[in-house]
Amino acid sequence: MFEALKKRALKSVLFSSIVFCVLGIAMIIFMGREAYYGITGYETFETLAPDEIRGQMVDVSLTLNFGAFLKESERNTDTNITTDRYYYYVILTGDETADDFRYMSIKVPASYHSDMDAMSENTFEGYYSEPMEFFGKIRKLSKEDYQYFKEYFTDGENGLTDEEFEACTIPYYIQVETSKTGNTVMGIIICASGLVLIILGIVRIWRAASGASLKKFRAILAEQGCTEMTAESDYNAARSYTKKGDLRIGRLFLYYMSGYKPMAIPNSKILWAYQTTTTHRTNGIKTGTTYSIMVYEDGRKGSIVLPVPNESTAHAMLDQINTTLPWVVVGYTDQLQKLFSKDRAQFLSLRYNTVEHLAVDSSDPYAQSTYSSTDDSTGNSNT
């Protein structure tokens, strides 16, 4: 039994845990650079040689540019108003002392357009402007944007040849950010969340594979003074209500899975059981119905919700509980709910405190069920 439960726990947790790990790795890859540079500090763009530029987070002090070759605009379909969002300007790598430099680009918000245009005018007149400070991430130009970048240099009578263009440019741009702190904090949060997901996925797999997920299950057996041999016999003889065998009722315990953890409820401690039916709707249209058995255990706050595949399964489970566990109140009414909430002692006197807690053999011809499928007609129905 325990080996089978361990394998079932591993099987139930394996896929979701792998998804956790993959998602965590993707989050770290996506924002890892932002978190790293946010902690260690951005690199100074002017100190990077052309062959060192690939994807860094950089600080850049810009004193010249060679004009814009592309702008991004956004049109409001309701008002038909077009708003300029970003401009791409041609800049140089390195600084005025660099021996090796290339043309690349910088993408700035439209609010910098007039200042960048003024700088480009100064550049074409042959002198530097007052520095404009930016920071952001170096990215590679998309194929479409790269074509605009190339046309800027090669169009016209005095345009560069393709060979000359390839020799003096690199296909990168600096994506200017507006908040270094916000970028850093977001990177750290996302990377930390990704790391948590990876750790959670690994721990879940380890707990299931090692049998640690059975710790609570074994503790419940020990609390009831039940040996593992006795529990195994009860488990193997228990009636199953799902294809996977995750939900079973034996003479001693009700067995179920809580997530990926095998669990058991001592039958002698079950107070009340009834069916709930939940109708799911989207925009008023019915999209499905789910069924559950609500089980209340002595000494536990709240109920244990046991999902079942269909209504007939719910009826069969309640019928078995009613037949074999005569101290359990089976079925729902508003009066029972009121009694359970307001006068627990009287509720317990209905069955729990007046009937001996010895399971009845359901094969006994004298063990007849008094539970009817109509008993749960007043059960909770949620829409």
Side-chain angles (χ1 to χ4, degrees), residues 118-161:
M119 179 184 290
S120 65
E121 291 178 6
N122 291 339
T123 300
F124 289 125
E125 291 178 6
Y127 56 90
Y128 295 102
S129 301
E130 289 294 320
M132 292 181 65
E133 307 296 335
F134 297 106
F135 59 88
K137 183 176 182 178
I138 296 176
R139 301 177 182 272
K140 194 166 187 176
L141 287 167
S142 67
K143 289 184 179 180
E144 183 179 0
D145 293 344
Y146 180 71
Q147 188 60 37
Y148 288 117
F149 182 60
K150 182 177 181 179
E151 289 174 359
Y152 181 85
F153 287 92
T154 58
D155 281 1
E157 294 181 2
N158 298 319
L160 302 178
T161 64

Side-chain angles (χ1 to χ4, degrees), residues 23-40 42 57 137 139 177 179-196:
L23 181 59
I25 291 171
M27 291 168 69
I28 291 175
I29 291 174
F30 179 65
M31 293 297 288
R33 196 181 300 272
E34 282 79 357
Y36 171 79
Y37 283 108
I39 294 171
T40 63
Y42 286 21
M57 302 294 295
K137 183 176 182 178
R139 301 177 182 272
E177 305 289 349
S179 173
K180 184 181 290 188
T181 301
N183 203 46
T184 299
V185 170
M186 182 62 68
I188 292 173
I189 290 175
I190 291 178
C191 287
S193 300
L195 184 60
V196 169

Side-chain angles (χ1 to χ4, degrees), residues 185-239:
V185 170
M186 182 62 68
I188 292 173
I189 290 175
I190 291 178
C191 287
S193 300
L195 184 60
V196 169
L197 284 177
I198 293 171
I199 294 173
L200 180 60
I202 293 172
V203 168
R204 281 158 54 93
I205 292 174
W206 173 82
R207 284 182 58 82
S210 67
S213 60
L214 293 170
K215 183 178 179 180
K216 180 64 176 178
F217 182 80
R218 293 180 185 274
I220 293 171
L221 301 184
E223 288 173 4
Q224 298 304 304
C226 181
T227 66
E228 292 187 0
M229 184 177 297
T230 301
E232 184 165 0
S233 176
D234 184 62
Y235 180 85
N236 291 335
R239 184 180 298 177

Side-chain angles (χ1 to χ4, degrees), residues 18-89:
I18 291 175
V19 170
F20 285 174
C21 292
V22 171
L23 181 59
I25 291 171
M27 291 168 69
I28 291 175
I29 291 174
F30 179 65
M31 293 297 288
R33 196 181 300 272
E34 282 79 357
Y36 171 79
Y37 283 108
I39 294 171
T40 63
Y42 286 21
E43 294 193 40
T44 301
F45 172 71
E46 291 80 12
T47 63
L48 298 174
D51 60 356
E52 295 175 330
I53 294 173
R54 49 182 61 89
Q56 301 91 331
M57 302 294 295
V58 295
D59 288 311
V60 54
S61 181
L62 204 61
T63 57
L64 54 82
N65 77 74
F66 298 87
F69 67 91
L70 179 64
K71 73 175 178 181
E72 289 185 8
S73 301
E74 184 178 85
R75 185 171 68 87
N76 187 315
T77 56
D78 294 329
T79 63
N80 206 33
I81 296 175
T82 300
T83 304
D84 295 338
R85 298 294 305 279
Y86 298 98
Y87 285 83
Y88 290 74
Y89 284 86

Side-chain angles (χ1 to χ4, degrees), residues 207-275:
R207 284 182 58 82
S210 67
S213 60
L214 293 170
K215 183 178 179 180
K216 180 64 176 178
F217 182 80
R218 293 180 185 274
I220 293 171
L221 301 184
E223 288 173 4
Q224 298 304 304
C226 181
T227 66
E228 292 187 0
M229 184 177 297
T230 301
E232 184 165 0
S233 176
D234 184 62
Y235 180 85
N236 291 335
R239 184 180 298 177
S240 175
Y241 289 93
T242 59
K243 291 182 179 180
K244 295 181 180 180
D246 293 342
L247 184 59
R248 300 168 178 246
I249 301 177
R251 290 177 60 84
L252 300 178
F253 295 95
L254 188 158
Y255 304 92
Y256 67 101
M257 296 290 289
S258 178
Y260 69 96
K261 298 178 182 179
M263 298 292 288
I265 307 171
N267 289 344
S268 62
K269 299 179 70 174
I270 298 176
L271 304 174
W272 188 20
Y274 61 85
Q275 173 190 333

Side-chain angles (χ1 to χ4, degrees), residues 247 273-278 280 289-295 303-311 313-315 317-318 371 376 379-380 382:
L247 184 59
Y274 61 85
Q275 173 190 333
T276 61
T277 302
T278 304
H280 305 277
T289 304
T290 55
Y291 304 92
S292 301
I293 299 297
M294 308 292 285
V295 176
S303 63
I304 300 169
V305 182
L306 305 175
V308 292
N310 49 54
E311 190 168 23
T313 301
H315 288 170
M317 279 191 64
L318 291 174
Y371 169 72
D376 66 348
N380 294 348
N382 303 315

